């Protein structure tokens, strides 16, 4: 498919946001973050630094966490985007969102949607065996060794999401709880006949 | 952000054709891959382009092992995927380790291998449009030489520029036998990794030896075969998600207490990913001891020209390089 502006400064992009197909006609310079907030009314993704340094704008694109402030909408034609609203709603929170509430893993809450999206993807990355900077070198060099989700692993993997209010400890606890609950649920499912 | 047009390339040939077309029109073109550096620079006004040619959808993402054992990595493979790839982890764990030390999970999901090679310095004056910078605007002057010098280069800097290369991946690649495969108007060109990046001289605006329209299509890592006995250590001001003050990638082959071969790549030291050849030469054939490692890095650092703000990097290297080689010696 030829997807270009042919010299024009606007173009049309189709993306699916939280399960809803959207077609945007937009300035070619528009980032995904601005498309979500200013054109689609999806305001959970927050504008913090707008330079990819704070993680408040983290969303999932085709299942992977990215910073939406450095993602050009034009480049995402055909992609599926999930924000914190897409993980759960106030009436029907996801397990991870509920764990953030239970553990008080937020203070002002501004960075929380990005933290939740990042944590959701991070747990999937661990489950798929991706190593991190704190993974033991011998395990790093042996892909058959499973990654243990220690607090150090959670902290390292969440380090792209900055919180200025000091809620780090409770965020780690919320993620740890969710990982344990999911592991228990998977275990009991396996035990069923 | 200055206005530009957006074009999605459908093949490498199409990307090159579009770049040639822009040049004929007197327009500037930029390739967009992961965008983690470029989009930021376009927004800040550090970089301007009339035409953005999106190559991020091209089919250059495979990681394969060639018949001779060389690992070939498509230039558009994402950093996160390559760092986690079983082939890379088994054969070149130092490459995985270096990438995992860089940026954040989000950025590693976006950034590409080719783009990582082309990321630009984080020198604070390069990022600050209100100050002179020869790298950003040739001939305007260098604010870092007499200014905030904490992160300045130790080796190979010039009167025009004292900035360092920011990549972690490139430090690991500098220690290995790597070929960068590029496509240009005249066809394929193969560049030894050590020849890709430049020291600043009087043209610090030119980071690499790539021609304007050339597109990196792959990296090929051939060896050495002892890269499984390799480590990456990064020193930085916080535990994660920060650029290195200095970093060390080393690989060591010891037989009967003698060093058969050794490779040392250093980050945070120079305008390019730096290979410590003097230290390597001093060590090859000699004893695998802490004293030898300390003497070798001292030999390398004889050419260092630190200022008052970055002399701490000398101390960091004098401790980190022997420590990494000691760890590899114990593991051998």
């Amino acid at each position: 498919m030829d997807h270009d502006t042919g010299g024009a400064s606007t173009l049309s992009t189709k993306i699916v946001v939280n399960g809803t197909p959207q077609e945007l006609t937009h300035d070619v310079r528009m980032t995904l973050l601005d498309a979500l907030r200013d054109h689609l009314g999806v305001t959970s993704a927050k504008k913090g630094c707008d330079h990819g340094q704070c993680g408040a704008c983290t969303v999932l694109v085709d299942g992977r966490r990215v910073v939406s402030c450095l993602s050009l909408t034009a480049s995402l034609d055909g992609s599926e985007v999930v924000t914190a609203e897409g993980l759960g709603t106030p009436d029907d929170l996801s397990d991870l969102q509920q764990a953030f509430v239970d553990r008080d893993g937020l203070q002002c809450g501004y960075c929380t949607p990005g933290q939740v999206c990042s944590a959701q993807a991070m747990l999937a990355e661990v489950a798929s065996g991706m190593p991190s900077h704190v993974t033991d070198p011998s395990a790093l060099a042996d892909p058959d060794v499973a990654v243990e989700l220690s607090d150090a692993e959670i902290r390292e993997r969440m380090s792209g999401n900055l919180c200025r209010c000091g809620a780090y400890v409770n965020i780690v606890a919320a993620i740890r709880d969710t990982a344990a609950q999911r592991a228990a649920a998977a275990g009991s499912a396996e035990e069923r006949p | 952000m200055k206005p530009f047009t957006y074009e999605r390339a459908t093949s490498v040939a199409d990307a090159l054709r579009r770049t040639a077309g822009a040049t004929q029109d007197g327009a500037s073109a930029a390739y967009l891959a992961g965008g983690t550096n470029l989009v930021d620079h376009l927004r800040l006004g550090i970089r301007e382009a009339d035409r953005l040619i999106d190559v991020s959808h091209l089919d250059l993402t495979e990681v394969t092992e060639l018949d001779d054992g060389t690992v070939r990595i498509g230039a558009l493979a994402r950093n996160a995927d390559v760092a986690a790839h079983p082939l890379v982890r088994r054969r070149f764990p130092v490459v995985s380790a270096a990438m995992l030390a860089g940026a954040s999970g989000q950025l590693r999901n976006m950034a590409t291998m080719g783009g990582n090679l082309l990321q630009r310095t984080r020198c604070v004056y390069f990022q600050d449009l209100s100050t002179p910078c020869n790298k950003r605007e040739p001939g305007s002057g260098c604010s870092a030489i007499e200014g905030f010098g904490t992160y300045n280069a130790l080796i190979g800097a010039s009167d025009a520029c004292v900035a360092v290369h920011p990549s972690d991946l490139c430090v690991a690649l500098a220690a290995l036998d790597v070929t960068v495969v590029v496509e240009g108007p005249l066809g394929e060109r193969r560049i030894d990794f050590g020849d890709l990046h430049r020291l600043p001289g009087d043209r610090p605006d030119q980071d690499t030896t790539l021609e304007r329209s050339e597109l990196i299509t792959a990296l090929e890592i051939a060896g050495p075969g002892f890269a499984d006995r390799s480590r990456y250590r990064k020193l930085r001001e916080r535990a994660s998600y920060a650029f290195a003050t200095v970093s060390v990638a080393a690989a060591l082959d010891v037989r009967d207490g003698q060093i058969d071969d050794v490779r040392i790549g250093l980050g945070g030291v120079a305008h390019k990913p730096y290979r410590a050849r003097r230290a390597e030469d001093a060590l090859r054939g000699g004893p695998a001891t802490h004293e030898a490692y300390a003497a070798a890095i001292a030999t390398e650092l004889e050419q260092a020209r630190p200022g008052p703000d970055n002399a701490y990097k000398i101390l960091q290297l004098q401790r980190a390089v022997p420590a990494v080689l000691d760890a590899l010696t114990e593991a051998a």
Side-chain angles (χ1 to χ4, degrees):
Chain A
M1 185 187 67
D2 195 25
H3 181 79
D4 67 38
T5 58
S9 59
T10 61
L11 81 172
S12 182
T13 298
K14 289 180 182 171
I15 51 176
V16 176
V17 178
N18 296 330
T20 305
Q22 303 278 3
E23 182 161 4
L24 281 163
T25 300
H26 61 93
D27 188 297
V28 294
R29 294 168 290 179
M30 180 175 285
T31 63
L32 175 60
L33 177 59
D34 289 341
L36 289 170
R37 293 185 59 83
D38 298 343
H39 293 263
L40 298 173
V42 178
T43 54
S44 67
K46 294 293 188 281
K47 184 172 283 194
C49 69
D50 215 19
H51 293 287
Q53 296 169 5
C54 78
C57 68
T58 301
V59 302
L60 310 180
V61 172
D62 297 329
R64 298 159 63 104
R65 54 176 169 159
V66 301
V67 285
S68 56
C69 70
L70 295 182
S71 302
L72 281 187
T73 306
S75 189
L76 299 178
D77 193 51
S79 292
E80 189 158 334
V81 178
V82 173
T83 71
E85 294 102 319
L87 297 178
T89 62
D91 297 333
D92 183 21
L93 293 175
S94 75
D95 56 347
L96 183 63
Q97 289 169 323
Q98 185 63 53
F100 267 70
V101 173
D102 293 344
R103 285 289 194 169
D104 197 17
L106 50 138
Q107 285 189 15
C108 80
Y110 191 82
C111 71
T112 307
Q115 299 271 8
V116 168
C117 285
S118 197
Q120 178 77 17
M122 177 272 271
L123 289 170
E125 289 162 11
V126 172
S128 73
M130 292 176 81
S132 85
H133 173 62
V134 299
T135 303
D136 183 79
S138 60
L140 170 73
D142 184 352
D144 296 329
V145 176
V147 177
E148 295 277 339
L149 189 64
S150 63
D151 284 4
E153 285 279 0
I154 294 173
R155 288 194 178 94
E156 163 60 27
R157 290 165 190 269
M158 292 298 293
S159 66
N161 293 75
L162 304 189
C163 167
R164 291 172 180 78
C165 63
Y168 291 111
V169 174
N170 294 350
I171 291 170
V172 171
I175 294 170
R176 194 174 53 217
D177 288 355
T178 305
Q181 286 160 8
R182 289 182 184 180
S188 64
E190 279 171 22
E191 285 163 18
R192 284 193 204 110
Chain B
M1 230 186 291
K2 292 266 177 72
F4 51 77
T5 61
Y6 171 87
E7 308 172 33
R8 184 177 290 196
T10 56
S11 66
V12 171
D14 181 49
L16 295 173
R17 198 159 48 235
R18 288 175 184 275
T19 309
T23 305
Q24 279 169 7
D25 296 345
S28 58
Y31 293 124
L32 172 71
T36 56
N37 206 195
L38 179 65
V39 171
D40 197 30
H41 285 179
L42 289 170
R43 187 188 284 136
L44 287 165
I46 290 172
R47 175 85 182 265
E48 291 177 9
D50 301 313
R51 295 168 68 170
L52 209 56
I53 297 165
D54 185 354
V55 297
S56 68
H57 299 269
L58 299 183
D59 185 21
L60 295 172
T61 58
E62 271 201 272
V63 179
T64 52
E65 188 166 23
L66 307 181
D67 288 343
D68 66 353
T70 295
V71 174
R72 183 181 168 96
I73 304 172
L76 292 167
R78 305 284 160 165
N79 283 187
D81 294 336
V82 177
H85 198 285
L87 193 53
V88 177
R89 288 168 67 178
R90 285 203 182 92
R91 290 286 311 284
F92 304 111
V94 68
V95 173
S96 288
M99 266 189 286
L100 292 169
S104 66
Q106 292 94 314
L107 293 169
R108 291 193 295 269
N109 275 341
M110 300 169 73
T112 65
M113 297 297 286
N116 195 306
L117 271 49
L118 302 179
Q119 67 172 313
R120 309 207 68 197
T121 186
R122 261 61 182 187
C123 179
V124 292
Y125 299 101
F126 177 72
Q127 300 273 121
D128 181 355
L129 281 178
S130 68
T131 60
C133 169
N134 287 324
K135 182 178 268 301
R136 176 165 32 77
E137 195 178 333
S140 63
C142 174
S143 305
I145 290 173
E146 298 294 332
F148 177 78
T150 302
Y151 306 122
N152 288 358
L154 291 174
I155 294 173
S158 72
D159 292 340
C161 183
V162 292
V164 298
H165 196 266
S167 164
D168 289 290
L169 167 65
C170 287
V171 181
L173 296 180
L176 305 175
D177 293 331
V178 178
T179 302
V180 182
V181 185
V182 305
E183 290 280 346
L186 303 177
E188 183 184 285
R189 190 159 77 93
R190 300 170 64 81
I191 306 170
D192 280 343
F193 185 79
D195 295 331
L196 177 67
H197 297 95
R198 297 178 67 256
L199 289 174
D202 58 2
R203 290 303 305 270
D205 55 311
Q206 294 181 352
D207 293 346
T208 71
T209 56
L210 289 184
E211 300 293 334
R212 194 165 278 275
S213 59
E214 284 181 325
L215 180 68
I216 298 174
T217 55
L219 299 176
E220 293 182 356
I221 312 177
F226 59 98
D228 56 336
R229 290 186 292 283
S230 58
R231 291 280 172 93
Y232 187 70
R233 181 171 293 186
K234 179 175 183 177
L235 278 64
R236 47 185 158 181
E237 290 169 328
R238 60 186 186 205
S240 184
Y241 197 19
F243 289 96
T245 53
V246 300
S247 64
V248 181
L252 186 67
D253 193 12
V254 176
R255 287 179 200 174
D256 302 326
Q258 299 290 115
I259 296 169
D260 201 49
D261 199 1
V262 58
R263 303 295 182 85
I264 304 169
L266 302 178
V269 166
H271 196 253
K272 60 184 285 184
Y274 186 80
R275 181 157 168 198
R277 290 184 182 275
R278 292 186 193 192
E280 291 179 7
D281 291 344
L283 288 170
R284 244 177 236 112
T289 63
H290 180 85
E291 291 69 28
Y293 303 147
I297 190 60
T299 300
E300 187 73 52
L301 292 172
E302 281 172 7
Q303 58 186 315
R305 296 288 173 267
D309 297 337
N310 66 347
Y312 74 97
K313 288 188 178 189
I314 300 270
L315 192 61
Q316 288 189 332
L317 290 165
Q318 283 172 338
R319 295 193 176 164
V321 172
V324 172
L325 292 171
D326 283 341
L328 288 171
T329 311
E330 284 169 23

